[in-house]
Coordinates of all heavy atoms in Angstrom, one line a residue:
R25 N 10.7 2.5 -21.7 CA 9.6 3.0 -21.0 C 8.5 3.3 -22.0 O 7.2 3.1 -21.6 CB 10.1 4.2 -20.2 CG 8.9 4.8 -19.4 CD 9.4 6.1 -18.6 NE 8.5 6.5 -17.7 CZ 7.4 7.2 -18.1 NH1 7.3 7.7 -19.3 NH2 6.5 7.6 -17.2
E26 N 8.8 4.0 -23.1 CA 7.8 4.4 -24.1 C 7.2 3.1 -24.7 O 6.0 3.3 -25.2 CB 8.3 5.2 -25.0 CG 8.9 6.5 -24.4 CD 8.0 7.3 -23.7 OE1 6.8 7.4 -24.1 OE2 8.3 7.7 -22.6
L27 N 7.7 2.0 -24.6 CA 7.1 0.7 -25.2 C 5.9 0.3 -24.3 O 5.1 -0.5 -24.9 CB 8.2 -0.3 -25.4 CG 9.3 0.0 -26.5 CD1 10.3 -1.1 -26.5 CD2 8.6 0.3 -27.8
L28 N 5.9 0.7 -23.0 CA 4.8 0.0 -22.1 C 3.6 0.9 -22.3 O 3.6 2.0 -22.6 CB 5.3 0.2 -20.6 CG 6.5 -0.7 -20.2 CD1 6.9 -0.2 -18.8 CD2 6.0 -2.1 -20.3
A29 N 2.5 0.2 -22.1 CA 1.1 0.8 -22.1 C 1.0 1.6 -20.8 O 1.9 1.5 -19.9 CB 0.0 -0.2 -22.1
E30 N 0.1 2.6 -20.7 CA 0.1 3.3 -19.6 C -0.2 2.5 -18.3 O 0.3 3.0 -17.2 CB -1.1 4.5 -19.8 CG -0.8 5.5 -20.8 CD 0.4 6.2 -20.6 OE1 0.6 6.8 -19.4 OE2 1.3 6.4 -21.5
T31 N -0.8 1.5 -18.4 CA -1.0 0.6 -17.2 C 0.1 -0.4 -17.1 O -0.1 -1.4 -16.3 CB -2.4 -0.1 -17.3 OG1 -2.4 -0.9 -18.5 CG2 -3.5 0.9 -17.3
G32 N 1.2 -0.5 -17.8 CA 2.2 -1.5 -17.9 C 3.1 -1.4 -16.8 O 3.3 -0.4 -16.1
S33 N 3.9 -2.5 -16.7 CA 5.0 -2.6 -15.7 C 6.0 -3.5 -16.3 O 5.8 -4.3 -17.3 CB 4.5 -3.0 -14.4 OG 3.8 -4.2 -14.4
V34 N 7.2 -3.4 -15.6 CA 8.4 -4.3 -16.0 C 8.9 -5.0 -14.7 O 8.9 -4.4 -13.6 CB 9.4 -3.5 -16.8 CG1 10.0 -2.4 -15.9 CG2 10.5 -4.3 -17.5
F35 N 9.4 -6.3 -15.0 CA 10.2 -6.9 -13.9 C 11.5 -7.3 -14.3 O 11.8 -7.7 -15.4 CB 9.4 -8.3 -13.7 CG 8.0 -8.1 -13.2 CD1 7.1 -8.0 -14.2 CD2 7.6 -8.2 -11.9 CE1 5.6 -7.8 -13.9 CE2 6.4 -8.2 -11.4 CZ 5.2 -7.9 -12.4
V36 N 12.4 -7.0 -13.5 CA 13.8 -7.3 -13.8 C 14.4 -8.3 -12.6 O 14.3 -8.0 -11.4 CB 14.7 -6.0 -13.8 CG1 16.2 -6.4 -14.0 CG2 14.2 -5.1 -14.8
Q37 N 14.9 -9.5 -13.0 CA 15.5 -10.4 -12.1 C 17.0 -10.3 -12.1 O 17.6 -10.3 -13.1 CB 15.0 -11.8 -12.5 CG 15.6 -12.8 -11.5 CD 15.1 -14.2 -11.8 OE1 14.3 -14.6 -12.6 NE2 15.8 -15.3 -11.2
I38 N 17.5 -10.1 -10.9 CA 18.9 -9.8 -10.8 C 19.6 -10.4 -9.6 O 18.9 -10.5 -8.6 CB 19.2 -8.2 -11.0 CG1 20.6 -7.9 -11.2 CG2 18.6 -7.4 -9.8 CD1 21.2 -8.2 -12.6
S39 N 20.8 -10.6 -9.6 CA 21.5 -11.2 -8.3 C 21.7 -10.0 -7.3 O 21.6 -8.9 -7.6 CB 22.8 -11.8 -8.6 OG 23.7 -10.8 -9.0
E40 N 22.0 -10.4 -6.0 CA 22.1 -9.5 -5.1 C 23.4 -8.6 -5.3 O 23.3 -7.4 -4.8 CB 22.3 -10.1 -3.7 CG 23.5 -11.0 -3.4 CD 23.7 -11.6 -2.2 OE1 24.0 -10.9 -1.1 OE2 23.3 -12.8 -2.0
E41 N 24.4 -9.0 -6.1 CA 25.6 -8.3 -6.3 C 25.3 -6.9 -7.1 O 26.0 -6.0 -6.9 CB 26.5 -9.0 -7.0 CG 27.2 -10.2 -6.2 CD 26.4 -11.5 -6.3 OE1 25.4 -11.5 -7.2 OE2 26.9 -12.5 -5.7
N42 N 24.2 -7.0 -8.0 CA 24.0 -5.9 -8.9 C 22.6 -5.3 -8.7 O 22.2 -4.4 -9.6 CB 24.2 -6.4 -10.3 CG 25.7 -6.8 -10.6 OD1 26.5 -6.0 -10.3 ND2 25.9 -8.0 -11.0
V43 N 21.8 -5.7 -7.7 CA 20.4 -5.2 -7.6 C 20.4 -3.7 -7.4 O 19.6 -2.9 -7.9 CB 19.7 -5.9 -6.5 CG1 20.2 -5.7 -5.1 CG2 18.2 -5.7 -6.5
H44 N 21.5 -3.2 -6.7 CA 21.5 -1.7 -6.5 C 21.7 -0.9 -7.7 O 21.2 0.1 -8.0 CB 22.5 -1.4 -5.4 CG 23.9 -1.7 -5.7 ND1 24.4 -3.2 -5.8 CD2 25.0 -0.9 -6.0 CE1 25.7 -3.1 -6.0 NE2 26.1 -1.9 -6.2
H45 N 22.5 -1.5 -8.7 CA 22.7 -0.8 -10.1 C 21.4 -0.8 -10.8 O 21.1 0.2 -11.4 CB 23.9 -1.5 -10.8 CG 25.2 -1.5 -10.2 ND1 25.8 -0.3 -9.8 CD2 26.1 -2.5 -9.8 CE1 26.9 -0.4 -9.3 NE2 27.2 -1.8 -9.2
V46 N 20.7 -2.0 -10.8 CA 19.4 -2.1 -11.6 C 18.4 -1.0 -11.0 O 17.8 -0.4 -11.8 CB 18.9 -3.5 -11.5 CG1 17.5 -3.5 -12.0 CG2 19.8 -4.4 -12.4
R47 N 18.5 -1.0 -9.7 CA 17.5 0.0 -8.9 C 17.8 1.4 -9.5 O 17.0 2.3 -9.7 CB 17.6 0.0 -7.4 CG 17.0 -1.3 -6.8 CD 15.3 -1.1 -6.7 NE 15.0 0.0 -5.9 CZ 14.7 0.0 -4.7 NH1 15.0 -1.0 -4.0 NH2 14.4 1.1 -4.2
E48 N 19.2 1.8 -9.5 CA 19.6 3.2 -9.9 C 19.2 3.5 -11.4 O 18.6 4.5 -11.5 CB 21.1 3.2 -9.9 CG 21.6 3.3 -8.4 CD 23.2 3.1 -8.3 OE1 23.8 2.8 -9.4 OE2 23.9 3.3 -7.3
I49 N 19.3 2.5 -12.2 CA 19.0 2.7 -13.5 C 17.5 2.7 -13.9 O 17.0 3.7 -14.4 CB 19.5 1.5 -14.5 CG1 21.1 1.5 -14.6 CG2 18.9 1.5 -16.0 CD1 21.8 0.4 -15.2
C50 N 16.7 1.9 -13.1 CA 15.3 1.9 -13.2 C 14.7 3.2 -12.6 O 13.7 3.7 -12.9 CB 14.7 0.6 -12.6 SG 15.0 -0.8 -13.6
D51 N 15.4 3.6 -11.5 CA 14.9 4.9 -10.9 C 15.1 6.0 -11.9 O 14.2 7.0 -12.0 CB 15.7 5.2 -9.7 CG 15.3 4.4 -8.4 OD1 14.2 3.8 -8.5 OD2 15.9 4.5 -7.4
E52 N 16.1 6.1 -12.7 CA 16.3 7.1 -13.7 C 15.3 7.0 -14.8 O 14.8 7.9 -15.2 CB 17.6 7.0 -14.4 CG 18.8 7.6 -13.4 CD 20.2 7.7 -14.3 OE1 20.0 8.1 -15.4 OE2 21.1 7.4 -13.7
I53 N 14.9 5.8 -15.2 CA 14.1 5.6 -16.3 C 12.6 5.7 -15.8 O 11.8 6.4 -16.6 CB 14.2 4.2 -17.0 CG1 15.6 4.0 -17.5 CG2 13.1 3.8 -17.9 CD1 16.0 2.5 -17.9
F54 N 12.2 5.1 -14.8 CA 10.8 5.2 -14.4 C 10.5 6.2 -13.3 O 9.3 6.5 -13.0 CB 10.3 3.8 -13.9 CG 10.4 2.7 -15.0 CD1 11.4 1.9 -15.1 CD2 9.4 2.6 -15.9 CE1 11.5 0.9 -16.1 CE2 9.4 1.6 -16.9 CZ 10.6 0.8 -16.9
G55 N 11.5 6.5 -12.5 CA 11.3 7.4 -11.3 C 11.2 6.6 -10.2 O 10.5 5.5 -10.2
P56 N 11.9 7.0 -9.0 CA 11.7 6.1 -7.9 C 10.3 5.9 -7.3 O 10.1 5.0 -6.6 CB 12.7 6.9 -6.9 CG 12.8 8.1 -7.4 CD 12.7 8.2 -8.8
E57 N 9.5 6.9 -7.5 CA 8.2 6.8 -7.1 C 7.3 5.6 -7.8 O 6.2 5.3 -7.3 CB 7.4 8.2 -7.2 CG 7.1 8.5 -8.7 CD 8.3 9.3 -9.4 OE1 9.4 9.4 -8.9 OE2 8.0 9.6 -10.6
N58 N 7.8 5.2 -8.9 CA 7.1 4.2 -9.6 C 7.7 2.8 -9.3 O 7.3 1.7 -10.0 CB 7.2 4.4 -11.1 CG 6.3 5.5 -11.5 OD1 5.1 5.6 -11.1 ND2 6.9 6.6 -12.2
L59 N 8.5 2.5 -8.2 CA 8.9 1.2 -7.9 C 7.7 0.6 -7.0 O 7.2 1.2 -6.1 CB 10.0 1.3 -6.8 CG 10.5 0.0 -6.1 CD1 11.0 -1.0 -7.1 CD2 11.4 0.3 -4.9
V60 N 7.2 -0.4 -7.6 CA 6.1 -1.1 -7.0 C 6.5 -2.0 -5.8 O 6.1 -2.0 -4.8 CB 5.2 -2.0 -8.1 CG1 4.1 -2.7 -7.4 CG2 4.7 -1.2 -9.2
S61 N 7.6 -2.8 -6.1 CA 8.0 -3.7 -5.1 C 9.5 -4.2 -5.4 O 9.8 -4.3 -6.6 CB 7.1 -4.8 -4.9 OG 7.5 -5.7 -3.8
Q62 N 10.2 -4.6 -4.5 CA 11.5 -5.4 -4.7 C 11.2 -6.7 -3.9 O 11.1 -6.7 -2.7 CB 12.6 -4.5 -4.1 CG 13.9 -5.4 -4.3 CD 15.2 -4.7 -4.0 OE1 15.5 -3.6 -4.5 NE2 16.0 -5.2 -3.0
L63 N 11.2 -7.7 -4.7 CA 11.0 -9.1 -4.2 C 12.2 -9.9 -4.1 O 13.1 -9.9 -5.0 CB 9.8 -9.8 -4.9 CG 8.5 -8.9 -5.3 CD1 7.8 -9.5 -6.4 CD2 7.7 -8.9 -4.0
Y64 N 12.2 -10.8 -3.1 CA 13.4 -11.8 -3.0 C 12.8 -13.1 -3.6 O 11.7 -13.6 -3.0 CB 14.0 -11.9 -1.6 CG 15.1 -13.0 -1.5 CD1 16.2 -12.6 -1.9 CD2 14.8 -14.2 -1.0 CE1 17.4 -13.5 -1.9 CE2 15.9 -15.1 -1.0 CZ 17.2 -14.7 -1.4 OH 18.1 -15.6 -1.4
Y65 N 13.5 -13.7 -4.4 CA 13.0 -14.9 -5.1 C 14.1 -16.1 -4.8 O 15.3 -16.0 -5.2 CB 12.9 -14.7 -6.7 CG 12.6 -15.9 -7.4 CD1 11.3 -16.5 -7.4 CD2 13.7 -16.5 -8.1 CE1 11.1 -17.5 -8.2 CE2 13.3 -17.7 -8.9 CZ 12.0 -18.1 -9.0 OH 11.7 -19.2 -9.7
Q66 N 13.6 -17.1 -4.1 CA 14.5 -18.2 -3.8 C 14.5 -19.1 -5.0 O 13.5 -19.6 -5.5 CB 14.0 -18.9 -2.6 CG 15.0 -19.9 -2.1 CD 14.7 -20.6 -0.7 OE1 13.7 -20.0 0.0 NE2 15.3 -21.6 -0.4
K67 N 15.8 -19.3 -5.4 CA 16.0 -20.4 -6.6 C 16.0 -21.7 -6.0 O 16.3 -22.0 -4.9 CB 17.3 -20.0 -7.4 CG 17.3 -18.6 -7.9 CD 18.5 -18.4 -8.7 CE 19.7 -18.2 -7.8 NZ 21.0 -17.8 -8.5
T68 N 15.7 -22.7 -7.0 CA 15.6 -24.1 -6.5 C 16.8 -24.8 -7.2 O 17.0 -26.1 -7.2 CB 14.4 -24.7 -7.1 OG1 14.3 -24.6 -8.5 CG2 13.2 -24.2 -6.6
T69 N 17.9 -24.1 -7.6 CA 19.1 -24.7 -8.2 C 20.0 -25.2 -7.1 O 19.9 -24.9 -6.0 CB 19.8 -23.8 -9.3 OG1 20.3 -22.6 -8.5 CG2 18.9 -23.4 -10.4
G70 N 21.0 -25.9 -7.6 CA 22.0 -26.4 -6.6 C 23.0 -25.3 -6.0 O 22.7 -24.2 -6.2
A71 N 23.9 -25.7 -5.4 CA 24.8 -24.8 -4.6 C 25.9 -24.2 -5.5 O 26.4 -23.2 -5.1 CB 25.7 -25.6 -3.7
G72 N 25.9 -24.5 -6.9 CA 26.8 -23.7 -7.8 C 27.9 -24.5 -8.2 O 28.0 -25.7 -8.1
S73 N 28.8 -23.9 -9.0 CA 30.0 -24.6 -9.5 C 31.1 -24.9 -8.5 O 31.0 -24.3 -7.5 CB 30.6 -23.6 -10.6 OG 31.1 -22.6 -10.1
P74 N 31.9 -25.9 -8.8 CA 33.0 -26.2 -7.9 C 33.9 -24.9 -7.5 O 34.4 -24.9 -6.4 CB 33.8 -27.2 -8.6 CG 33.0 -27.8 -9.6 CD 32.0 -26.7 -10.0
N75 N 33.9 -24.0 -8.4 CA 34.8 -22.7 -8.2 C 34.2 -21.8 -6.9 O 34.8 -21.0 -6.4 CB 34.9 -21.9 -9.3 CG 35.7 -22.6 -10.5 OD1 36.5 -23.5 -10.2 ND2 35.4 -22.1 -11.7
E76 N 32.8 -22.1 -6.7 CA 32.2 -21.4 -5.6 C 32.1 -22.0 -4.4 O 31.5 -21.7 -3.3 CB 30.7 -21.1 -6.2 CG 30.7 -20.3 -7.4 CD 29.3 -20.1 -7.9 OE1 28.4 -20.8 -7.4 OE2 29.0 -19.2 -8.7
L77 N 32.9 -23.1 -4.1 CA 32.9 -23.8 -2.9 C 33.5 -23.1 -1.7 O 33.1 -23.4 -0.6 CB 33.6 -25.2 -3.1 CG 33.1 -26.2 -4.0 CD1 33.9 -27.5 -4.1 CD2 31.7 -26.7 -3.6
L78 N 34.2 -22.0 -2.0 CA 34.8 -21.3 -0.8 C 33.9 -20.2 -0.3 O 34.2 -19.6 0.7 CB 36.2 -20.7 -1.3 CG 37.3 -21.8 -1.7 CD1 38.5 -21.1 -2.2 CD2 37.6 -22.9 -0.7
T79 N 32.9 -19.9 -1.0 CA 31.9 -18.9 -0.7 C 30.6 -19.5 -0.6 O 30.2 -20.6 -1.1 CB 31.8 -17.8 -1.8 OG1 31.3 -18.3 -3.0 CG2 33.2 -17.1 -1.9
P80 N 29.7 -18.8 0.3 CA 28.3 -19.4 0.4 C 27.5 -19.4 -0.9 O 27.7 -18.5 -1.7 CB 27.7 -18.4 1.4 CG 28.9 -17.7 2.1 CD 29.9 -17.7 1.1
A81 N 26.7 -20.4 -1.0 CA 26.0 -20.6 -2.3 C 25.1 -19.5 -2.4 O 24.5 -18.8 -1.5 CB 25.1 -21.8 -2.2
K82 N 24.8 -19.0 -3.6 CA 23.8 -18.0 -4.0 C 22.4 -18.7 -4.2 O 22.3 -19.4 -5.1 CB 24.2 -17.1 -5.2 CG 25.6 -16.7 -5.2 CD 25.6 -15.4 -4.2 CE 27.0 -14.7 -4.4 NZ 27.9 -14.9 -3.4
V83 N 21.5 -18.5 -3.3 CA 20.3 -19.3 -3.3 C 19.1 -18.5 -3.8 O 17.9 -19.0 -3.8 CB 20.0 -20.0 -2.1 CG1 21.0 -21.1 -1.7 CG2 19.9 -18.9 -0.9
G84 N 19.2 -17.2 -4.1 CA 18.1 -16.4 -4.4 C 18.6 -15.2 -5.4 O 19.8 -14.8 -5.4
D85 N 17.6 -14.6 -6.1 CA 17.7 -13.4 -6.8 C 16.7 -12.4 -6.3 O 15.7 -12.7 -5.5 CB 17.5 -13.7 -8.3 CG 18.6 -14.2 -8.9 OD1 19.8 -14.2 -8.4 OD2 18.6 -14.9 -10.0
Y86 N 16.8 -11.2 -6.8 CA 15.8 -10.2 -6.5 C 15.0 -9.9 -7.8 O 15.6 -9.9 -8.9 CB 16.5 -8.9 -6.1 CG 16.9 -9.1 -4.6 CD1 18.3 -9.5 -4.4 CD2 16.2 -8.7 -3.5 CE1 18.7 -9.6 -3.1 CE2 16.4 -8.8 -2.2 CZ 17.8 -9.3 -2.0 OH 18.2 -9.4 -0.7
I87 N 13.8 -9.6 -7.7 CA 12.9 -9.1 -8.7 C 12.5 -7.7 -8.4 O 11.9 -7.4 -7.4 CB 11.7 -9.9 -8.8 CG1 12.2 -11.3 -9.2 CG2 10.7 -9.4 -10.0 CD1 11.1 -12.4 -9.2
C88 N 13.0 -6.7 -9.2 CA 12.5 -5.4 -9.1 C 11.3 -5.1 -10.1 O 11.3 -5.4 -11.3 CB 13.7 -4.4 -9.5 SG 15.1 -4.5 -8.4
W89 N 10.3 -4.6 -9.5 CA 9.0 -4.4 -10.2 C 8.7 -2.9 -10.2 O 8.6 -2.2 -9.3 CB 7.8 -5.1 -9.5 CG 6.5 -5.0 -10.1 CD1 6.2 -4.3 -11.2 CD2 5.3 -5.4 -9.5 NE1 4.8 -4.5 -11.5 CE2 4.3 -5.0 -10.3 CE3 5.0 -6.1 -8.3 CZ2 2.9 -5.4 -10.0 CZ3 3.7 -6.4 -8.1 CH2 2.7 -6.1 -8.9
Y90 N 8.9 -2.3 -11.5 CA 8.5 -0.9 -11.8 C 7.2 -0.8 -12.7 O 7.1 -1.5 -13.6 CB 9.7 -0.3 -12.3 CG 10.8 0.1 -11.5 CD1 11.7 -0.9 -11.2 CD2 10.9 1.4 -11.0 CE1 12.8 -0.4 -10.3 CE2 12.0 1.8 -10.1 CZ 12.9 0.8 -9.7 OH 13.9 1.1 -8.9
A91 N 6.4 0.2 -12.4 CA 5.4 0.6 -13.2 C 5.7 1.8 -14.0 O 6.5 2.7 -13.6 CB 4.1 0.8 -12.3
K92 N 5.1 1.9 -15.2 CA 5.1 3.1 -16.0 C 4.6 4.2 -15.1 O 5.3 5.3 -15.1 CB 4.6 2.9 -17.3 CG 4.7 4.1 -18.2 CD 4.2 3.9 -19.6 CE 4.6 5.1 -20.5 NZ 4.1 4.8 -21.9
D93 N 3.5 4.1 -14.6 CA 2.9 5.1 -13.9 C 2.1 4.2 -12.6 O 1.2 3.5 -12.8 CB 1.8 5.8 -14.5 CG 1.1 6.9 -13.9 OD1 1.1 6.9 -12.6 OD2 0.5 7.9 -14.4
I94 N 2.6 4.4 -11.3 CA 2.2 3.6 -10.3 C 0.7 3.8 -10.0 O 0.0 3.0 -9.4 CB 3.0 3.7 -9.1 CG1 2.8 2.6 -8.1 CG2 2.8 5.2 -8.4 CD1 4.0 2.4 -7.2
S95 N 0.2 5.0 -10.3 CA -1.3 5.3 -10.1 C -2.3 4.7 -11.1 O -3.4 4.6 -10.9 CB -1.4 6.8 -10.3 OG -1.3 7.3 -11.5
K96 N -1.6 3.9 -12.2 CA -2.3 3.4 -13.2 C -2.1 1.9 -13.4 O -2.8 1.3 -14.2 CB -2.2 4.1 -14.5 CG -2.7 5.5 -14.5 CD -2.4 6.2 -15.8 CE -2.7 7.6 -15.8 NZ -2.2 8.2 -17.1
Y97 N -1.1 1.3 -12.7 CA -0.7 0.0 -13.1 C -1.8 -1.0 -12.7 O -2.6 -0.8 -11.9 CB 0.7 -0.4 -12.4 CG 0.6 -0.9 -11.0 CD1 0.7 -2.2 -10.7 CD2 0.4 0.0 -10.0 CE1 0.6 -2.8 -9.4 CE2 0.5 -0.4 -8.6 CZ 0.5 -1.8 -8.4 OH 0.4 -2.2 -7.0
K98 N -1.8 -2.1 -13.3 CA -2.7 -3.3 -13.1 C -2.0 -4.4 -12.5 O -1.0 -4.8 -12.8 CB -3.5 -3.7 -14.4 CG -4.4 -2.5 -14.9 CD -5.1 -3.0 -16.1 CE -6.0 -1.9 -16.6 NZ -6.8 -2.3 -17.8
Y99 N -2.8 -5.1 -11.6 CA -2.3 -6.4 -11.0 C -3.3 -7.4 -11.1 O -4.4 -7.1 -10.8 CB -2.0 -6.2 -9.5 CG -1.6 -7.3 -8.8 CD1 -0.4 -7.9 -8.9 CD2 -2.5 -7.9 -7.9 CE1 -0.2 -9.2 -8.2 CE2 -2.2 -9.0 -7.1 CZ -1.0 -9.7 -7.4 OH -0.7 -10.8 -6.7
H100 N -3.1 -8.5 -11.5 CA -3.9 -9.7 -11.7 C -3.4 -10.8 -10.7 O -2.4 -11.3 -10.9 CB -4.2 -10.1 -13.2 CG -4.5 -9.1 -14.1 ND1 -5.9 -8.7 -14.1 CD2 -4.0 -8.3 -14.9 CE1 -6.0 -7.7 -15.0 NE2 -4.9 -7.4 -15.4
Q101 N -4.3 -11.2 -9.9 CA -4.0 -12.4 -9.0 C -3.6 -13.6 -9.8 O -4.5 -13.9 -10.7 CB -5.1 -12.6 -8.1 CG -4.8 -13.7 -6.9 CD -3.7 -13.2 -6.0 OE1 -3.7 -12.0 -5.7 NE2 -2.9 -14.2 -5.6
L102 N -2.6 -14.2 -9.5 CA -2.2 -15.4 -10.4 C -3.0 -16.6 -10.0 O -3.4 -17.5 -10.9 CB -0.6 -15.8 -10.2 CG 0.3 -14.8 -10.6 CD1 1.7 -15.2 -10.2 CD2 0.3 -14.7 -12.1
F103 N -3.3 -16.7 -8.8 CA -4.1 -18.0 -8.3 C -5.4 -17.6 -7.7 O -5.5 -16.7 -7.0 CB -3.3 -18.9 -7.3 CG -2.0 -19.3 -7.9 CD1 -0.8 -18.6 -7.5 CD2 -1.8 -20.3 -8.7 CE1 0.5 -19.0 -8.1 CE2 -0.7 -20.8 -9.3 CZ 0.4 -20.0 -9.0
K104 N -6.5 -18.4 -7.9 CA -7.7 -18.2 -7.3 C -8.0 -19.3 -6.5 O -7.6 -20.5 -6.7 CB -8.8 -18.1 -8.4 CG -8.6 -16.8 -9.2 CD -9.8 -16.7 -10.1 CE -9.6 -15.4 -11.0 NZ -10.7 -15.3 -12.0
E105 N -8.6 -19.0 -5.3 CA -9.0 -20.1 -4.4 C -10.0 -21.1 -5.0 O -11.1 -20.6 -5.6 CB -9.6 -19.5 -3.1 CG -9.8 -20.3 -1.9 CD -8.5 -20.6 -1.2 OE1 -7.6 -19.8 -1.2 OE2 -8.4 -21.7 -0.7
K106 N -9.8 -22.3 -4.9 CA -10.6 -23.3 -5.5 C -11.6 -23.8 -4.4 O -11.0 -24.2 -3.3 CB -10.0 -24.4 -6.2 CG -10.8 -25.4 -6.9 CD -10.0 -26.4 -7.6 CE -10.9 -27.2 -8.5 NZ -10.3 -28.1 -9.4
T107 N -12.9 -23.8 -4.6 CA -13.8 -24.3 -3.7 C -14.3 -25.7 -4.2 O -14.4 -25.9 -5.4 CB -15.0 -23.5 -3.5 OG1 -15.6 -23.2 -4.9 CG2 -14.6 -22.1 -3.0
F108 N -14.5 -26.6 -3.3 CA -14.9 -27.9 -3.6 C -16.3 -28.2 -3.2 O -16.7 -27.7 -2.2 CB -14.0 -29.1 -3.0 CG -12.7 -29.0 -3.5 CD1 -11.7 -28.4 -2.7 CD2 -12.3 -29.6 -4.6 CE1 -10.3 -28.2 -3.2 CE2 -11.0 -29.7 -5.2 CZ -9.9 -29.0 -4.4
R109 N -17.2 -28.9 -3.9 CA -18.6 -29.1 -3.6 C -18.8 -30.4 -3.1 O -18.2 -31.4 -3.2 CB -19.6 -29.0 -4.9 CG -19.3 -27.5 -5.4 CD -20.2 -27.4 -6.7 NE -19.8 -26.3 -7.4 CZ -20.6 -25.6 -8.3 NH1 -21.9 -26.1 -8.4 NH2 -20.1 -24.6 -8.8

C-alpha cells in the first residue's frame, strides 16, 4: 500500500474460487471503503485440461480494483471515440 502514489490503485486478477480471500486481504490492506470495483473478466482460452472434463469449464476470472484513497484515485479512459471526416 505504501508503494502506491496517493492517486494510485491496484488490480488483482483471481479465479472465482479464491476471489473472496483476495477481497478479505485487500479489505485489510486498503479498507473496504477503497474498493473501486469488482469486475468479471471473460477469458478467451479453451475449456481446460482433460482432468477438468467432469466439471464445467472456468471461462472467467475476477478483477478486484482497489484504490489507495478512493477520494483521490485517477481513472483514464482507455479508448476514445474516433470521428471520421
Side-chain angles (χ1 to χ4, degrees):
R25 181 179 188 279
E26 297 305 317
L27 296 175
L28 290 174
E30 290 303 312
T31 58
S33 57
V34 65
F35 299 84
V36 180
Q37 182 177 345
I38 192 75
S39 68
E40 67 180 283
E41 292 90 1
N42 294 309
V43 70
H44 61 288
H45 293 306
V46 167
R47 290 278 306 266
E48 290 169 348
I49 292 169
C50 288
D51 282 351
E52 278 190 44
I53 295 169
F54 296 100
E57 68 278 3
N58 288 311
L59 172 67
V60 177
S61 185
Q62 179 175 305
L63 309 165
Y64 182 75
Y65 174 77
Q66 186 172 352
K67 300 186 286 187
T68 59
T69 59
S73 68
N75 295 337
E76 296 175 346
L77 292 178
L78 300 176
T79 60
K82 308 286 191 259
V83 295
D85 281 341
Y86 285 90
I87 299 173
C88 297
W89 178 9
Y90 279 84
K92 182 172 184 177
D93 183 343
I94 201 159
S95 67
K96 298 178 184 176
Y97 84 99
K98 292 184 180 178
Y99 170 77
H100 299 282
Q101 185 66 34
L102 293 177
F103 301 102
K104 294 183 180 179
E105 192 76 30
K106 186 170 184 173
T107 57
F108 295 96
R109 298 180 198 204

